[in-house]
Amino acid sequence: NAGVTQTPKFRVLKTGQSMTLLCAQDMNHEYMYWYRQDPGMGLRLIHYSVGEGTTAKGEVPDGYNVSRLKKQNFLLGLESAAPSQTSVYFCASRPTVTGELFFGEGSRLTVL
Amino acid sequence: DAKTTQPPSMDCAEGRAANLPCNHSTISGNEYVYWYRQIHSQGPQYIIHGLKNNETNEMASLIITEDRKSSTLILPHATLRDTAVYYCIVRPNQGAQKLVFGQGTRLTINP
């Protein structure tokens, strides 16, 4: 049972490049979330999904897009990366009924 | 979701009880109090949650005041491995979509 898996773990981009972060969970959870964490800061919610085929905006959605085509996967896309998007990105999931969040180990993104 | 206020940092001696406070004066009747922690740069880890009764599990105890406007997370015998940032969150247990983390409390356990 892998839990929540994020790929890639590390990535360096140049300004203007695009990329996609993949979050996969094998716990059949309905809800999935993408957060970013900047140095010395708390987590900020980017986008979330309450089920397959649904997405919604969080606190800081600008510059990101997401998709939930399959229940187990939640993709976070950066169409044109900017240095301000340099951060550690965390994916999380939870089942519908209980509130416990399960987090991945994070993806460290650097935009030059 | 109700907002929470936590001290930015705290210190505790190894082996002593660590008591982490959280204020949530605007909490609604159907909102639970959740605690998570983040060790170094790992993904956050669930600790405990409660509604109005005190709760205890293998990791910690949660004490919620009678008016529910504040709570305290207690780590009974803190170890060096408990050094982490601790987040207090309040939200409904079901049907809640957004989960918003604040700045948390950086707890340092000293030998």
Side-chain angles (χ1 to χ4, degrees):
Chain A
N1 190 343
V4 179
T5 304
Q6 294 181 227
T7 53
K9 299 279 192 294
F10 302 92
R11 183 75 187 268
V12 178
L13 287 176
K14 294 182 179 178
T15 297
Q17 286 185 316
S18 63
M19 77 157 295
T20 300
L21 295 174
L22 169 63
C23 176
Q25 52 96 1
D26 60 3
M27 298 172 284
N28 201 36
H29 286 175
E30 290 291 337
Y31 292 20
M32 296 187 74
Y33 304 81
W34 275 107
Y35 291 87
R36 62 175 287 176
Q37 186 173 37
D38 300 321
M41 304 284 286
L43 287 89
R44 291 186 292 170
L45 181 63
I46 305 172
H47 286 280
Y48 63 97
S49 169
V50 301
E52 181 179 315
T54 75
T55 63
K57 294 180 180 181
E59 300 173 89
V60 289
D62 295 341
Y64 304 95
N65 57 75
V66 287
S67 64
R68 184 98 181 268
L69 298 179
K70 293 183 179 180
K71 186 177 183 179
Q72 63 268 33
N73 295 336
F74 194 29
L75 279 65
L76 178 71
L78 287 73
E79 288 189 349
S80 179
S84 61
Q85 294 177 304
T86 293
S87 190
V88 180
Y89 292 84
F90 288 99
C91 176
S93 71
R94 71 175 177 97
T96 305
V97 177
T98 66
E100 180 180 347
L101 271 174
F102 294 81
F103 281 85
E105 288 303 307
S107 297
R108 186 175 297 275
L109 175 65
T110 301
V111 183
L112 302 175
Chain B
D1 294 351
K3 291 190 175 180
T4 62
T5 304
Q6 299 177 253
S9 64
M10 292 182 63
D11 285 87
C12 180
E14 187 178 19
R16 304 295 293 270
N19 297 281
L20 292 89
C22 179
N23 275 322
H24 31 79
S25 58
T26 60
I27 192 170
S28 300
N30 66 339
E31 288 186 313
Y32 284 68
V33 180
Y34 280 78
W35 284 84
Y36 287 80
R37 73 180 182 183
Q38 187 175 24
I39 296 173
H40 194 45
S41 48
Q42 298 176 17
Q45 173 191 26
Y46 166 82
I47 301 173
I48 197 168
H49 74 282
L51 183 62
K52 43 184 157 179
N53 297 323
N54 298 337
E55 302 288 344
T56 295
N57 63 19
E58 65 278 3
M59 290 182 68
S61 294
L62 174 60
I63 308 298
I64 303 174
T65 58
E66 194 169 340
D67 63 7
R68 302 208 324 120
K69 293 186 177 182
S70 65
S71 60
T72 301
L73 178 74
I74 301 173
L75 308 178
H77 304 287
T79 70
L80 298 178
R81 288 177 295 180
D82 291 322
T83 292
V85 177
Y86 288 76
Y87 296 98
C88 169
I89 304 165
V90 293
R91 64 170 187 84
N93 197 37
Q94 295 192 26
Q97 273 70 347
K98 293 187 194 181
L99 299 174
V100 179
F101 285 68
Q103 299 273 16
T105 295
R106 182 172 297 278
L107 175 68
T108 302
I109 306 301
N110 300 306

